[in-house]
Amino acid sequence: MRRALTVTAVAGAAWVARRALSRRIGRSPLWPLPALENPISGYSPRRPLRALIVSRTEPAHGVLQLTLEASDLPAWAPGAHVDITLPSGLVRQYSLCGDPADSDRYTIAVRLIEDGRGGSREAHAQLVEGAELELRPPRNRFELVPAPSYAFVAGGIGITPILPMLRAATAAGADWTLLYGGRSRASMPFLDELAAYGDRVTVVPQDEAGLPDLSFLSGTRPGTLVYCCGPDPLMAAVTATAPDPAAVHLERFTPSAAPGPAKAFTVELHRSGREIEVGADESTLAAVRRELPATPYSCEQGFCGTCQHRVLAGEVDHRDELLTDGERADSMLLCVSRAKGDRLVLDL
């Protein structure tokens, strides 16, 4: 009897210890390092969601369209995207292209890129009807600003964030046009839906008509906002052609060109009491992970936010497409951003 009571007491103590450890790690994923008063380093504050894939279709060759359903999906507006956690743990960003009024469903589309980093191949191979996905609430750095008129330009899968904008602009009574380019009609999704807009939409398959002619942008009237999503050369051409570069809004899911040559710098890991050198040819993340291998990361492109960490001192050369101005004041994404000067101090 005494032995049974002892075993029970030990088991109970172990259970309490496990719960305490779990709570401790939840407060500071970099435990046993000290927890921050307002934790930033080591996790994203965005609440993860769970959604069920209720539909899988192929609206064009090499394009996968998924409808995700859940009862607690946050509201979103045209231009928003979500971070999807793939079965392997990779995090990828996809624009929402459905109807914001459909509060229980999100729709995304994924272009298969055979020679990419693997996310699209995994999505096409493993995301099937009935599977459950983890995602983060929508973020929007491509908001549709109210205006009397718009010029939309989309290239390939770049049509996805533009599609809800067309619906919103139409509902608002705004004047708009869309130039939609792609390699071929077979590879361009949503052509049937776009056909309903008539001559507002110009479709330019490259195998039929060559590259899109952007000269119409130079004739846009004052007050017209230009929205473009597509390959970097297309976005660069749109920016160069538009009469007012300040009126151009771009959405990209690959890092923009670095603003200048990279140089080596020193990083102090404040909580760890270590200093590391970041070479000109390596990322801050790679250098940090030499000392702290458990430092979390995912996309390595400056989009998912997994490697966001707090900066205590030093000026940051921000090269991401994610953080707000407020977040950039005291944090950085280690995977793409660097020091402007010779030194940074991180809360790690």
Side-chain angles (χ1 to χ4, degrees):
M1 182 67 172
R2 181 177 300 173
R3 181 176 181 181
L5 291 174
T6 300
V7 171
T8 301
V10 170
W15 179 80
V16 170
R18 284 196 301 270
R19 285 200 63 187
L21 179 60
S22 176
R23 288 196 297 269
R24 182 65 184 82
I25 293 173
R27 291 194 301 271
S28 177
L30 295 177
W31 185 88
L33 297 177
L36 298 174
E37 182 178 351
N38 296 303
I40 294 177
S41 299
Y43 80 108
S44 168
R46 290 174 280 274
R47 179 174 61 92
L49 306 168
R50 308 293 300 186
L52 189 69
I53 300 175
V54 297
S55 173
R56 171 184 167 126
T57 59
E58 294 188 11
H61 178 69
V63 177
L64 170 67
Q65 180 176 322
L66 299 175
T67 301
L68 314 176
E69 188 173 277
S71 59
D72 59 346
L73 296 177
W76 62 281
H81 71 271
V82 291
D83 297 342
I84 300 291
T85 301
L86 299 173
S88 67
L90 289 175
V91 178
R92 294 293 184 263
Q93 296 70 43
Y94 300 109
S95 296
L96 292 169
C97 55
D99 184 354
D102 193 350
S103 59
D104 293 332
R105 294 190 171 197
Y106 288 166
T107 301
I108 61 173
V110 184
R111 165 80 68 193
L112 177 62
I113 304 175
E114 292 286 3
D115 59 350
R117 294 178 296 125
S120 68
R121 294 195 301 273
E122 182 178 351
H124 277 248
Q126 299 192 34
L127 301 188
V128 297
E129 286 188 25
E132 190 177 54
L133 283 180
E134 181 178 296
L135 57 150
R136 295 173 186 163
R139 299 197 304 271
N140 199 336
R141 294 183 62 86
F142 193 45
E143 295 181 12
L144 184 67
V145 178
S149 59
Y150 302 93
F152 297 105
V153 181
I157 200 63
I159 189 62
T160 51
I162 300 294
L163 201 60
M165 293 184 177
L166 304 183
R167 304 184 193 114
T170 301
D175 184 25
W176 62 265
T177 60
L178 166 66
L179 178 63
Y180 179 24
R183 293 185 178 181
S184 66
R185 290 182 185 274
S187 69
M188 300 169 69
F190 310 118
L191 289 179
D192 289 344
E193 180 172 345
L194 293 173
Y197 292 118
D199 59 8
R200 285 185 170 189
V201 176
T202 301
V203 176
V204 185
Q206 186 175 342
D207 61 348
E208 299 177 18
L211 296 176
D213 180 3
L214 300 175
S215 60
F216 77 98
L217 291 174
S218 60
T220 55
R221 66 176 185 262
T224 298
L225 298 185
V226 180
Y227 280 78
C228 177
C229 183
D232 282 342
L234 175 65
M235 291 191 286
V238 166
T239 303
T241 307
D244 180 9
V248 178
H249 299 255
L250 305 175
E251 173 80 315
R252 65 177 80 243
F253 287 103
T254 57
S256 56
K263 64 177 183 178
F265 59 96
T266 301
V267 169
E268 177 187 337
L269 305 178
H270 181 69
R271 287 190 282 170
S272 304
R274 309 176 197 177
E275 284 194 356
I276 58 174
E277 298 300 318
V278 182
D281 59 348
E282 69 175 340
S283 68
T284 311
L285 174 66
V288 168
R289 282 177 59 83
R290 286 202 305 270
E291 293 292 328
L292 300 177
T295 302
Y297 71 100
S298 182
C299 76
E300 297 185 85
Q301 300 283 301
F303 296 110
C304 73
T306 304
C307 66
Q308 179 179 347
H309 286 272
R310 195 177 196 180
V311 179
L312 300 178
E315 191 174 3
V316 179
D317 177 7
H318 291 285
R319 302 186 176 192
D320 65 274
E321 302 289 338
L322 172 68
L323 300 183
T324 64
D325 291 341
E327 290 171 324
R328 288 182 174 187
D330 64 359
S331 65
M332 66 181 287
L333 298 188
L334 302 185
C335 65
V336 292
S337 297
R338 308 180 64 81
K340 277 191 177 180
D342 297 324
R343 186 179 183 84
L344 287 176
V345 180
L346 299 179
D347 196 6
L348 277 170

